[in-house]
């Protein structure tokens, strides 16, 4: 019975929400990850089979998947004010004096860590997350609900006795570990590393594909309840209530009876902040009593009852010993300052990134300069200035290298980019080895037991010089290598053989076309199901693919124009590597849509975009990526934009909503 299925789905959702609460908030999981995943898969299957029982706050929606072409602007029901800043104890004392003069009664303060991230306001109605909006200018922000739903720390459904309608405000941030993981992956793909966790978190929230936001691994801390009415009389009480309802709040917060306790809290965290797994840039102080907050009110831009104590960015002076140049997998040259070791922000700093030639010129760096190094909100130390008075009279200005430090090839620099490149991609050792390391990586061909050290050893012994060479290896060629046993050699050969079955999109990512990451590779394969089709694609055809701009298209064309890359593809094909999309879809259910083309746009609520496109294919239709005279049907969700307007202008495209599309299938 449909009612029984619906009740079972609702019970399953409730159970999974409870497990999420135990895992993320209490840190006390009651089932294994495997059991949780199995229950989640069951729910996903039921939701796919019964879209009529859709729930926007289902635990399955943590995975994201919706693509948003723009974010609607939403006005804040309650303005999001900024905070006044203070940098020393005197500022805090003046602030307390102003408060006491206004209230003429004792005051308690709540001291909280000031997370370095992006502010968010989340609306909950009847215990469910219904909308999430960025801070914006304080009066209005961008509605990014789909992206916020992917963050595990943010509850989709609440527990206990919660108010009917309220907002929770907080900070979206990246842990240091997640930030380092993202940068390691970017470096592996030949991209510039992100500068700091705060900007990366903020940028991640504006990504159009919620499934990509999910991959970033964002975290959240909620710290402010906002509504017309309050269930308790103090801010501290609201934090306790929020935890009961299922919100993740800062466990380092403290209720302080006096300003001296506040100062002690600040002093402690100014020293200990580097032990935290995330970045903070100060302490936020709030008057605890809500009635006192109302009495104090607001200035034109800030609440009088709150203050942010900002930590000064830590800066030290040390000597620049030399500048070295690193060559990445894509040939990008990164200058690195080698410093006399100095203690900074709890760690010994020996090196600092200089990023590119422009930074060196801007700093006017000379040999043996004494430089100021700062960490601040950056994970990677940076040089922020030079102590000019200490510069030796005969010190020479630093000149950027003109040739590759590894192979001696003259460097090239594109006019629209700040980075120099070594063009000798097939014979420059770091590029050759880097390409092979990328090829065997987990998200590419996933060849087990072939790590960086082994690949470097194989390269030194002239056994491999390009990815195709892996398929020529044998156990007998591996056994003479140092520390190579027969079983290890056989495991490597087995892993290489297994890689021949890896799907085409992973192979495409693995061959290392500049700017073609994991997601771009998937989208290319969807449109160009064989390597021949992709190699023959024109600039116009490539840029018709979603999220493929001129820069990526040009990189693809240049890659396949090179004879070395053509030979690589020919050899991979000869060795049996998958270079075409395998038809893994289930049997066609009908030919109702035969000869018809479809495109989906806007925010879909009855099914995901992938599910919709799969339905088209299973009923004999074809999905295309752009509105043109070849399009028969445009299926529109909420807030459809430019594609809808273009279809209306053409006049030949049939426009359907989601239910009409399902009706077309006979569902």
């Amino acid at each position: 019975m449909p009612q029984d299925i619906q009740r079972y789905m609702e019970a399953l959702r409730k159970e999974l929400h409870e497990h999420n609460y135990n895992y993320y908030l209490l840190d006390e999981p009651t089932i294994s990850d495997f059991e949780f995943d199995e229950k989640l898969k069951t729910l996903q299957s039921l939701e796919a089979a019964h879209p009529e029982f859709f729930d926007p706050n289902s635990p399955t929606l943590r995975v994201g998947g919706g693509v948003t072409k723009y974010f609607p602007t939403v006005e804040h029901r309650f303005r999001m004010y900024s905070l006044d800043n203070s940098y020393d104890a005197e500022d805090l004392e003046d602030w307390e004096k102003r408060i006491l003069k206004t209230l003429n009664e004792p005051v308690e303060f709540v001291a909280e860590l000031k997370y370095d991230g992006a502010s968010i306001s989340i609306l909950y109605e009847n215990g469910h997350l219904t909308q999430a909006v960025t801070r914006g200018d304080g009066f209005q922000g961008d509605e990014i609900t789909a992206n916020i739903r992917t963050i595990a720390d943010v509850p989709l459904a609440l527990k206990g006795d919660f108010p009917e309608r309220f907002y929770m405000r907080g900070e979206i941030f990246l842990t240091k570990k997640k930030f380092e993981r993202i940068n390691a992956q970017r470096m592996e793909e030949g991209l510039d590393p992100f500068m700091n966790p705060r900007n990366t978190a903020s940028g991640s929230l504006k990504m159009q594909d919620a499934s990509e936001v999910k991959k970033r691994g964002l975290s959240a801390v909620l710290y402010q309840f906002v509504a017309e009415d309050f269930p308790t009389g103090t801010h501290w009480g609201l934090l306790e209530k929020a935890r009961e309802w299922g919100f993740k709040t800062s466990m380092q917060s403290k209720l302080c009876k006096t300003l001296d306790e506040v100062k002690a809290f600040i002093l402690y965290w100014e020293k200990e902040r580097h032990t935290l797994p995330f970045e903070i840039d100060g302490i936020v102080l709030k008057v605890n009593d809500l009635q006192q907050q109302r009495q104090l009110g607001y200035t034109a831009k800030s609440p009088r009852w709150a203050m942010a104590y900002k930590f000064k960015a830590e800066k030290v002076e040390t000597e620049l010993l030399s500048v070295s140049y690193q060559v990445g997998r894509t040939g990008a040259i990164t200058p690195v300052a080698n410093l006399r070791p100095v203690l900074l922000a709890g760690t010994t700093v020996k090196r600092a990134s200089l990023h590119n030639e422009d930074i060196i010129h801007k700093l006017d760096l000379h040999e043996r300069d004494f430089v100021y190094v700062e960490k601040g909100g950056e994970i990677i130390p940076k040089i922020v200035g030079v102590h000019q008075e200490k510069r030796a009279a005969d010190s020479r200005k630093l000149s950027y290298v003109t040739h590759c430090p590894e192979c001696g090839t003259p460097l090239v620099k594109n006019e629209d980019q700040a980075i120099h490149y070594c063009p000798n991609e097939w014979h420059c050792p770091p590029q050759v080895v880097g390409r092979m390391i990328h090829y065997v990586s987990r998200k590419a061909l996933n060849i087990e037991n072939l790590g960086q050290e082994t690949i470097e050893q194989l390269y030194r012994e002239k056994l491999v010089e390009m990815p195709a060479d892996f398929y020529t290896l044998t156990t007998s060629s591996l056994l003479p290598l140092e520390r190579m046993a027969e079983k290890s050699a056989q495991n490597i050969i087995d892993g290489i053989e297994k890689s021949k079955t890896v799907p085409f999109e992973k192979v495409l990512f693995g061959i290392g076309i500049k700017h073609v990451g994991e997601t771009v590779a998937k989208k290319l394969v969807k449109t160009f199901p064989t390597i021949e089709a992709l190699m023959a694609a024109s600039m116009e055809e490539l840029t018709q693919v979603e999220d493929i701009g001129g820069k990526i298209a040009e990189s693809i064309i240049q890659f396949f124009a090179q004879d070395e890359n053509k030979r690589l593809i020919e050899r991979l094909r000869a060795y049996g590597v998958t270079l075409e999309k395998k038809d893994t879809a289930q049997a066609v259910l009908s030919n109702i849509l035969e000869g018809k083309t479809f495109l989906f746009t806007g925010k879909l609520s009855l099914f995901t975009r992938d599910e919709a496109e799969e339905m088209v294919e299973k009923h004999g239709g074809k999905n295309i990526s752009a509105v043109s005279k070849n399009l028969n049907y445009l299926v529109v969700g909420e807030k459809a934009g430019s594609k809808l307007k273009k279809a209306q202008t053409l006049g030949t495209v049939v426009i359907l909503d989601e239910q009409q599309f399902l009706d077309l299938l006979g569902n």
Side-chain angles (χ1 to χ4, degrees):
M1 293 290 289
Q3 294 88 345
D4 293 335
I5 293 172
Q6 185 178 12
R7 279 194 292 270
Y8 177 62
M9 289 170 68
E10 288 171 354
L12 200 50
R13 286 172 183 144
K14 184 177 180 181
E15 182 185 355
L16 288 168
H17 281 311
E18 184 71 24
H19 288 311
N20 273 325
Y21 173 79
N22 294 337
Y23 184 91
Y24 289 104
L25 198 77
L26 302 182
D27 197 23
E28 295 175 358
T30 53
I31 62 173
S32 69
D33 289 349
F34 176 79
E35 290 173 297
F36 181 90
D37 290 341
E38 288 300 301
K39 290 178 182 291
L40 194 66
K41 286 176 186 175
T42 300
L43 180 57
Q44 284 174 318
S45 299
L46 287 168
E47 288 177 340
H50 299 279
E52 67 272 20
F53 301 138
F54 173 78
D55 180 353
N57 285 306
S58 171
T60 61
L61 296 182
R62 290 287 193 200
V63 299
V67 176
T68 308
K69 278 298 179 188
Y70 69 98
F71 298 104
T73 300
V74 174
E75 187 174 342
H76 290 299
R77 170 72 179 81
F78 299 93
R79 179 180 167 186
M80 293 185 74
Y81 285 87
S82 58
L83 295 179
D84 277 337
N85 295 329
S86 66
Y87 292 91
D88 55 44
E90 193 174 320
D91 287 342
L92 294 180
E93 289 163 3
D94 290 343
W95 176 60
E96 185 194 36
K97 285 175 185 174
R98 292 194 298 270
I99 289 172
L100 293 175
K101 185 177 179 181
T102 301
L103 298 176
N104 196 28
E105 60 185 11
V107 177
E108 290 181 340
F109 301 99
V110 177
E112 305 170 15
L113 303 185
K114 188 176 183 299
Y115 286 69
D116 202 10
S119 298
I120 195 75
S121 179
I122 307 174
L123 174 62
Y124 284 86
E125 295 178 296
N126 299 315
H128 289 88
L129 188 159
T130 57
Q131 188 182 66
V133 182
T134 63
R135 182 186 181 280
D137 63 2
F139 294 96
Q140 57 186 19
D142 292 331
E143 191 261 304
I144 56 168
T145 310
N147 288 350
I148 292 298
R149 280 197 172 109
T150 69
I151 302 173
D153 293 339
V154 178
L156 301 177
L158 303 182
K159 298 163 55 70
D161 185 20
F162 43 78
E164 184 177 329
R165 189 177 195 274
F166 66 95
Y167 297 86
M168 278 301 290
R169 289 179 179 168
E171 204 81 1
I172 307 301
F173 64 96
L174 264 174
T175 63
K176 296 173 184 176
K177 189 174 181 180
K178 292 283 178 62
F179 178 70
E180 288 164 0
R181 185 202 69 191
I182 290 170
N183 268 351
Q185 184 176 332
R186 287 181 66 81
M187 296 288 279
E188 185 182 312
E189 294 176 14
L191 302 172
D192 292 339
F194 289 131
M195 290 295 290
N196 57 56
R198 175 178 49 80
N199 291 350
T200 308
S202 180
S204 299
L205 290 178
K206 296 297 186 70
M207 294 172 75
Q208 294 180 343
D209 189 338
S211 62
E212 291 301 305
V213 180
K214 170 70 175 176
K215 292 176 185 176
R216 288 285 170 90
L218 296 170
S219 297
V221 61
L222 288 306
Y223 51 66
Q224 191 76 30
F225 174 96
V226 180
E228 295 285 358
D229 300 308
F230 295 85
T232 184
T234 64
H235 176 64
W236 188 256
L238 288 173
L239 291 178
E240 291 178 327
K241 287 280 188 186
R243 281 191 283 273
E244 292 172 10
W245 300 331
F247 291 107
K248 186 173 183 178
T249 63
S250 174
M251 298 310 293
Q252 290 85 10
S253 301
K254 184 179 180 183
L255 180 61
C256 301
K257 303 290 185 182
T258 66
L259 194 62
D260 284 339
E261 289 185 33
V262 168
K263 290 177 183 177
F265 184 86
I266 290 171
L267 186 62
Y268 176 82
W269 284 112
E270 194 156 21
K271 293 177 181 177
E272 296 296 321
R273 56 180 160 141
H274 306 298
T275 64
L276 293 167
F278 48 82
E279 291 290 329
I280 64 170
D281 61 350
I283 301 296
V284 174
L285 307 170
K286 297 171 185 171
V287 170
N288 186 36
D289 188 282
L290 300 183
Q291 179 57 38
Q292 290 179 341
Q293 288 187 10
R294 285 188 283 271
Q295 285 180 253
L296 291 164
Y298 298 81
T299 66
K301 67 181 187 71
S302 307
R304 293 190 177 92
W305 44 266
M307 173 73 77
Y309 180 92
K310 299 292 288 287
F311 297 138
K312 295 183 179 70
E314 293 193 51
K315 184 165 63 176
V316 293
E317 181 184 317
T318 189
E319 186 179 6
L320 173 66
L321 300 178
S322 64
V323 174
S324 54
Y325 295 85
Q326 297 177 340
V327 185
R329 175 176 67 85
T330 61
I333 309 297
T334 303
V336 176
N338 300 301
L339 309 168
R340 189 172 298 284
V342 63
L343 191 65
L344 173 64
T347 59
T348 299
V349 172
K350 299 177 182 178
R351 311 172 85 205
S353 175
L354 289 168
H355 301 293
N356 54 55
E357 184 181 20
D358 294 345
I359 299 293
I360 292 175
H361 288 327
K362 185 178 179 182
L363 290 166
D364 187 32
L365 281 177
H366 283 55
E367 294 175 349
R368 310 294 294 190
D369 265 344
F370 283 86
V371 295
Y372 299 112
V373 184
E374 187 177 287
K375 219 169 185 180
E378 315 291 338
I379 294 293
I380 304 167
K382 64 178 181 178
I383 295 175
V384 295
V386 177
H387 193 155
Q388 300 279 359
E389 291 75 14
K390 283 191 174 183
R391 178 176 289 165
D394 60 348
S395 178
R396 291 183 300 175
K397 189 171 183 176
L398 284 176
S399 297
Y400 202 86
V401 290
T402 58
H403 290 67
C404 176
E406 295 287 345
C407 67
T409 303
L411 300 180
V412 296
K413 181 177 181 291
N414 297 329
E415 288 185 8
D416 60 339
Q417 293 181 324
I419 297 173
H420 288 73
Y421 289 90
C422 170
N424 185 22
E425 57 181 297
W426 284 101
H427 301 289
C428 181
Q431 295 188 66
V432 174
V433 172
R435 184 184 298 109
M436 291 189 288
I437 291 170
H438 173 71
Y439 184 83
V440 306
S441 63
R442 184 175 56 84
K443 292 188 176 181
L445 279 289
N446 192 24
I447 302 179
E448 297 176 354
N449 304 301
L450 258 184
Q452 179 175 337
E453 190 176 333
T454 303
I455 290 173
E456 288 173 346
Q457 189 180 17
L458 291 168
Y459 178 70
R460 285 195 304 271
E461 297 295 328
K462 295 184 169 46
L463 290 174
V464 294
E465 288 188 344
M466 66 163 64
D469 292 335
F470 289 128
Y471 301 96
T472 67
L473 295 173
T474 62
T475 51
S476 59
S477 65
L478 292 174
L479 282 173
L481 297 177
E482 189 179 350
R483 297 191 303 277
M484 183 65 69
E486 190 167 344
K487 185 175 181 181
S488 301
Q490 188 59 51
N491 286 340
I492 290 174
I493 297 302
D494 291 344
I496 292 170
E497 187 63 27
K498 186 179 176 183
S499 74
K500 295 177 183 179
T501 63
V502 165
F504 178 31
E505 61 265 23
K506 289 183 176 288
V507 178
L508 183 59
F509 171 58
I511 62 177
I513 304 173
K514 194 178 292 183
H515 309 309
V516 175
E518 185 186 7
T519 301
V520 169
K522 288 179 182 176
K523 291 182 177 179
L524 286 169
V525 167
K526 207 168 189 180
T527 305
F528 306 103
T530 68
I531 196 71
E532 289 85 6
L534 182 60
M535 292 173 77
S538 66
M539 175 73 78
E540 184 180 0
E541 289 171 327
L542 288 167
T543 52
Q544 285 292 308
V545 180
E546 186 178 21
D547 292 340
I548 307 297
K551 186 178 179 181
I552 296 175
E554 185 178 351
S555 179
I556 294 167
I557 290 170
Q558 287 178 353
F559 181 88
F560 290 119
Q562 295 181 35
D563 290 338
E564 292 92 338
N565 292 326
K566 290 177 183 176
R567 282 195 291 272
L568 170 65
I569 299 303
E570 288 170 5
R571 288 187 63 195
L572 291 177
R573 182 191 306 287
Y575 294 131
V577 175
T578 304
L579 293 172
E580 61 183 26
K581 183 180 179 183
K582 299 294 184 184
D583 186 12
T584 56
Q586 297 175 17
V588 174
L589 300 177
S590 77
N591 59 359
I592 293 174
L593 307 181
E594 187 173 356
K596 303 298 182 184
T597 58
F598 288 79
L599 177 62
F600 296 83
T601 187
K603 184 179 179 181
L604 304 176
S605 58
L606 298 183
F607 36 70
T608 67
R609 197 173 303 271
D610 286 343
E611 289 168 346
E613 292 177 353
E614 188 179 340
M615 282 189 272
V616 168
E617 292 169 3
K618 285 183 178 179
H619 290 278
K622 181 182 177 183
N623 296 292
I624 62 176
S625 59
V627 176
S628 69
K629 62 182 180 182
N630 299 320
L631 179 64
N632 299 126
Y633 293 95
L634 180 70
V635 182
V636 299
E638 295 177 28
K639 304 181 178 72
S642 58
K643 288 178 182 174
L644 174 58
K645 290 178 183 177
K646 187 173 180 180
Q648 290 169 332
T649 303
L650 282 175
T652 58
V653 180
V654 178
I655 298 169
L656 306 175
D657 62 25
E658 293 173 80
Q659 188 56 54
Q660 288 171 324
F661 168 69
L662 292 175
D663 292 342
L664 199 65
L665 301 179
N667 292 347

